Amino acid sequence: MVEIELDGQKVEVPEGSMVMHAADKAGTYIPHFCYHKKLSIAANCRMCLVDVEKAPKPMPACATPVTQGMIVRTKSDKAIKAQQGVMEFLLINHPLDCPICDQGGECQLQDLAVGYGGSSSRYTEEKRVVLAKEVSPLVSMAEMTRCIHCTRCVRFGQEIAGQMELGMIHRGEHSEITTFLNDTIDSELSGNMIDLCPVGALTSKPFRYSARTWELSRRKSVSPHDSTGANLVVQVKGNKVMRVLPFENEPVNECWLADRDRFSYEALNSDERLTTPMLKQGGQWKAVDWQTALEYVVNGLKLVKAEHGPQAIGALGSAYSTVEELHLLAQLARGLGSDNIDHRLRHADFTAGEGARWLGMPIAELSTLQRALVVGSFLRKDHPLFASRLRQAAKHGAQIHSLHAVEDDWLMPLASRITAAPGAWLQALADIATAVGAEKGVAAPAQGNATEAAQAVARALLSGERKAVLLGNAAAQHPQAGALLALAGWIAQQTGATVGYLGEAANSVGAQLVGAQPEQGGLNAGQMLSQSLKAYLLLNVEPELDAAHPTAALAALQGAEMVVAFSAFRTRAVEYADVLLPIAPFSETSGTFVNAEGRPQSFYGVVKPLGETRPAWKVLRVLGSMLGLEGFGYETSEEVKAAALGDPAALSSRLGNRSAAAVAVPAAAPAALERIADVPIYSTDPIVRRAHSLQLTRDAQPPVAGLPAALWQQLGLKDGEPVRVAQGKAVAVLPARLEPGLPANCVRVSAGHPATAGLGAMFGAIDVTKA
């Protein structure tokens, strides 16, 4: 440790720290623009000049290393004069149009100009002008004249997002920040550049000129999308969500948000919101009051139970629903005598295990891993913030290994990549297990071939200290998911690594903890949606987009006597449902999500429910009471949470990644073409699908059929030419795209999108012909 004197106060900081770090520790504010605690030091704004004793001139606090006995003054005349001089230079070319600037009221330059700026300018020459640029539906570069060249946005792209989409061209007063060759900004983390910009140069395009910062009230919430559980500040005006920003929580989302978390709020105010209960009468939809709608549901459920028995009733809840909602849905189904309850709509294997499947470690530890094997994950698009943490680990020397069917760019150095069709993933893991067994002199649970690639992964996992085997969404949805987990668990155990699931949805762990899946031999989601039951309760679910086999799901629902859809939006359920009940999205209800690391995070509604919308937990509570079931007398969501999760201290003991599946490696991979299906980042759940600006991004473009090189040549295709993709009787016509990294017997076709909703299972045989 090094001790320095800062404004007369003794401060101890680690060797190699900068004066700025000492000031942070002492609670002393030094004005700055380019410095940010999460980014590298650029020292190009010079606003943080301080007076260092014996130094001939003021020194930048962000780039001056501390030395033993150093004396620093941040408020001396010399320091203040230097900072005022820098501010004068910064304002030379600034347009000084604060009243019309979208950043007005929350602008760092505006705030510091009050303290360090002059009352008049000595600069009389013409100010420079930088032309507006059209780069993204999310980030506006319309006022780049205001840019002060702090390069925070450039460094964020390079260091956090992993792709340098912005850079500086020209020199002197001609310098400007722009994209390369007039390209676009397409990062899934791009919105963070808006937060980082200390002036009004980069602004939020969906929010621009819709409100002033002082008109907004700020309320805390939790993201309802991926399993990170990112903390949000939701800004509200007149009972309408206007903007979403990150709430800093270092162990969870640091100070970042994925664009999905930041911009999906547009759906909350969309025209597609369902605001009144609807009943289908004589094939026509009619708006009714809540009493009528609920009585219809109660009578319908009683009738189905009396005529066909309770086993004819099935409940499907999305893992994007809260702990409280899923607990009451499960309680309702079981109160009726049915154990047909599930949240795993995209899964193909329902092998039971011990405990709720989770990340296996705190989220923050992803940044400190030294070795990681990631199996079956579209990492960047499924888990943008987890990808960012693994990127930091890779920058510090971690060896990241991938096993997948595609070769997507994760924007980080990979130590090795094993590419195999989904049907060969178990064999690839068996190969790694065999290589680990050979190194340790033990027998692997499944016989494989210790190939060179397998040996490289095995040697990496057997070295180093902090290591993990991580299973992604595709591994969880795989037809052999249980066996993959069993093998991954054995490899982790032998190498001293942890094994974990990256987690599919905001509440995947919570859904397991509250028993939103069969416990006493009931039907799982796959069985419920392949054989038609008489009655279905659908909570936050769009089966035609959320199910592993959408065509089979639609057929099952269309064959039912009664389908009740609890939904915040008017969905395709109008085709097969009998009742639509408008329930509140996360912004209009209180609830709890349990994220990938098993951390329960509760939140309150930030605005009043829209129209006749009601929180789903209240609707389910009333339904349970009207059906005469026990255990529905809750007054608050906190009471439901306490009943659902039990003792918070015992929560961690209920997590576990043990699989009961037998590991049987298929003799040889089938020669037929196999489908690998990702769920595009802006197609994952009902809210993001209806967020207008997100649907304009490159990531939201309609799906294509990604074909391997051999098949591409065999069919003689040109880029974008239509191909006929078939799974059994299910067919879709899609534009073709060459994906040279795909295995020869693998075709990539995304799921979760209307363009591919007419196809079959997410995994399995697929046929491609020229259209």
Side-chain angles (χ1 to χ4, degrees):
M1 299 291 278
V2 174
E3 186 179 81
I4 72 165
E5 186 184 302
L6 186 90
D7 292 342
Q9 179 186 353
K10 293 273 192 283
V11 186
E12 267 197 2
V13 285
E15 201 171 338
S17 297
M18 301 294 159
V19 171
M20 186 70 90
H21 300 139
D24 282 346
K25 190 172 181 186
T28 301
Y29 179 73
I30 298 175
H32 60 273
F33 292 113
C34 68
Y35 171 77
H36 189 276
K37 62 183 178 181
K38 294 283 182 184
L39 303 176
S40 63
I41 289 165
N44 51 9
C45 77
R46 316 310 274 186
M47 191 63 212
C48 64
L49 291 174
V50 290
D51 178 5
V52 179
E53 196 165 276
K54 296 183 183 168
K57 57 182 182 178
M59 306 291 282
C62 68
T64 303
V66 294
T67 56
Q68 186 63 37
M70 177 188 260
I71 297 172
V72 180
R73 298 180 187 90
T74 67
K75 306 282 190 292
S76 68
D77 285 348
K78 187 176 176 182
I80 298 288
K81 211 163 186 177
Q83 290 162 355
Q84 287 173 339
V86 169
M87 179 58 75
E88 185 176 14
F89 277 119
L90 283 174
L91 294 178
I92 275 178
N93 274 310
H94 202 77
L96 306 180
D97 58 352
C98 297
I100 65 146
C101 177
D102 200 48
Q103 192 90 337
E106 53 184 0
C107 170
Q108 221 174 318
L109 184 68
Q110 197 178 45
D111 294 344
L112 292 180
V114 173
Y116 300 92
S119 57
S120 60
S121 174
R122 293 183 283 172
Y123 185 79
T124 55
E125 287 78 9
E126 247 181 67
K127 291 183 181 253
R128 74 186 195 127
V129 173
V130 180
L131 296 177
K133 298 165 184 68
E134 186 57 51
V135 295
S136 162
L138 306 176
V139 181
S140 169
M141 290 181 82
E143 277 96 19
M144 290 309 288
T145 302
R146 297 178 182 140
C147 176
I148 60 168
H149 304 149
C150 69
T151 68
R152 279 183 177 185
C153 54
V154 177
R155 285 175 285 146
F156 171 82
Q158 273 181 301
E159 296 162 19
I160 308 295
Q163 56 189 139
M164 189 173 169
E165 294 180 300
L166 293 175
M168 193 184 288
I169 57 170
H170 309 314
R171 299 185 69 177
E173 70 165 15
H174 301 293
S175 301
E176 60 176 284
I177 300 284
T178 183
T179 57
F180 295 98
L181 304 173
N182 295 323
D183 209 344
T184 51
I185 296 174
D186 298 309
S187 166
E188 60 281 357
L189 298 170
S190 66
N192 294 294
M193 295 178 186
I194 300 164
D195 295 343
L196 288 171
C197 185
V199 295
L202 299 179
T203 51
S204 165
K205 198 173 271 187
F207 173 71
R208 266 168 74 78
Y209 301 127
S210 59
R212 286 299 196 178
T213 179
W214 54 85
E215 301 173 317
L216 303 171
S217 54
R218 290 153 177 77
R219 290 151 196 183
K220 274 182 66 179
S221 192
V222 178
S223 167
H225 304 302
D226 66 29
S227 59
T228 311
N231 288 205
L232 314 176
V233 174
V234 182
Q235 300 190 338
V236 174
K237 178 186 175 186
N239 203 48
K240 186 177 177 184
V241 175
M242 302 301 289
R243 181 165 63 167
V244 170
L245 297 174
F247 182 85
E248 188 170 339
N249 187 340
E250 195 60 32
V252 180
N253 55 301
E254 302 174 89
C255 56
W256 312 124
L257 275 189
D259 290 352
R260 174 166 56 187
D261 306 324
R262 182 186 298 271
F263 295 107
S264 64
Y265 73 86
E266 283 186 297
L268 306 173
N269 310 317
S270 79
D271 295 338
E272 291 187 53
R273 283 291 303 273
L274 180 67
T275 56
T276 183
M278 307 282 284
L279 271 186
K280 191 185 274 182
Q281 295 174 331
Q284 297 295 311
W285 283 101
K286 292 184 181 165
V288 294
D289 59 73
W290 271 103
Q291 185 68 26
T292 306
L294 293 177
E295 281 175 2
Y296 182 92
V297 174
V298 168
N299 294 334
L301 289 172
K302 284 179 177 173
L303 191 67
V304 169
K305 183 180 175 180
E307 289 184 2
H308 306 285
Q311 290 309 313
I313 300 169
L316 293 163
S318 154
Y320 296 99
S321 307
T322 65
V323 156
E324 293 80 356
E325 292 163 1
L326 289 166
H327 170 71
L328 289 174
L329 181 69
Q331 207 174 327
L332 184 73
R334 294 195 174 105
L336 288 165
S338 170
D339 192 40
N340 303 337
I341 163 80
D342 212 345
H343 69 277
R344 300 164 295 178
L345 275 89
R346 290 200 178 105
H347 289 216
D349 178 17
F350 300 90
T351 311
E354 296 172 46
R357 294 176 181 180
W358 68 301
L359 186 61
M361 65 172 91
I363 290 172
E365 285 185 15
L366 290 173
S367 309
T368 64
L369 288 174
Q370 293 178 347
R371 307 282 185 271
L373 168 61
V374 185
V375 181
S377 175
F378 298 93
L379 185 64
R380 259 180 67 204
K381 305 302 179 185
D382 288 347
H383 302 97
L385 294 177
F386 289 175
S388 167
R389 285 195 182 268
L390 285 173
R391 195 171 294 122
Q392 300 314 307
K395 279 171 66 178
H396 294 115
Q399 292 181 22
I400 313 287
H401 302 263
S402 156
L403 164 55
H404 208 335
V406 297
E407 293 189 359
D408 290 351
D409 187 358
W410 289 357
L411 303 175
M412 66 180 87
L414 289 182
S416 78
R417 196 194 278 277
I418 298 173
T419 310
W425 288 0
L426 202 57
Q427 180 64 60
L429 268 188
D431 293 349
I432 295 168
T434 302
V436 168
E439 293 273 345
K440 291 199 72 180
V442 294
Q447 196 50 48
N449 309 309
T451 60
E452 236 174 272
Q455 285 174 343
V457 176
R459 280 195 293 270
L461 288 175
L462 284 163
S463 64
E465 289 175 0
R466 297 178 297 279
K467 349 177 219 199
V469 181
L470 301 169
L471 298 155
N473 291 0
Q477 295 155 359
H478 195 279
Q480 296 162 316
L484 287 172
L485 175 60
L487 259 184
W490 186 88
I491 292 167
Q493 187 186 357
Q494 294 299 321
T495 57
T498 55
V499 64
Y501 276 105
L502 291 168
E504 195 175 335
N507 203 24
S508 292
V509 177
Q512 299 170 76
L513 290 171
V514 302
Q517 55 197 50
E519 291 176 350
Q520 306 293 329
L523 301 179
N524 58 49
Q527 292 165 329
M528 279 190 259
L529 291 174
S530 58
Q531 57 192 69
S532 199
L533 300 177
K534 296 300 176 186
Y536 287 94
L537 302 173
L538 306 178
L539 174 65
N540 271 328
V541 168
E542 295 181 78
E544 64 280 2
L545 300 173
D546 295 336
H549 198 312
T551 45
L554 268 178
L557 292 165
Q558 283 160 350
E561 288 179 13
M562 184 172 86
V563 176
V564 182
F566 302 79
S567 176
F569 302 97
R570 282 191 294 274
T571 66
R572 204 177 153 188
V574 293
E575 296 174 18
Y576 51 76
D578 303 280
V579 194
L580 297 177
L581 300 178
I583 58 165
F586 80 103
S587 55
E588 297 167 17
T589 181
S590 54
T592 306
F593 293 130
V594 183
N595 71 358
E597 67 179 3
R599 176 192 295 253
Q601 299 187 108
S602 295
F603 55 90
Y604 293 103
V606 296
V607 289
K608 290 176 188 163
L610 195 63
E612 290 293 304
T613 300
R614 295 289 180 269
W617 71 268
K618 289 188 176 181
V619 177
L620 290 162
R621 177 195 66 181
V622 173
L623 267 179
S625 301
M626 289 173 75
L627 282 160
L629 306 178
E630 282 182 29
F632 282 86
Y634 303 108
E635 290 297 320
T636 64
S637 62
E638 283 86 355
E639 288 177 26
V640 188
K641 176 192 168 186
L645 293 179
D647 180 11
L651 214 56
S652 58
S653 64
R654 295 166 58 196
L655 305 172
N657 289 319
R658 294 167 296 280
S659 170
V663 180
V665 180
L673 287 177
E674 284 186 57
R675 178 181 178 185
I676 175 71
D678 60 315
V679 179
I681 185 170
Y682 303 135
S683 299
T684 49
D685 62 79
I687 294 178
V688 287
R689 290 177 194 134
R690 291 165 179 83
H692 174 69
S693 297
L694 290 178
Q695 296 306 321
L696 298 175
T697 61
R698 180 174 286 186
D699 278 327
Q701 287 180 351
V704 299
L707 307 181
L711 182 61
W712 184 267
Q713 287 166 352
Q714 183 189 325
L715 296 175
L717 293 166
K718 295 188 189 75
D719 198 40
E721 210 174 331
V723 289
R724 183 179 178 276
V725 179
Q727 289 183 281
K729 292 179 182 173
V731 175
V733 175
L734 300 170
R737 184 175 64 204
L738 174 63
E739 284 203 35
L742 279 173
N745 64 326
C746 195
V747 175
R748 177 174 181 164
V749 180
S750 300
H753 192 281
T756 55
L759 287 172
M762 289 172 68
F763 293 89
I766 192 166
D767 188 49
V768 181
T769 52
K770 210 167 176 175

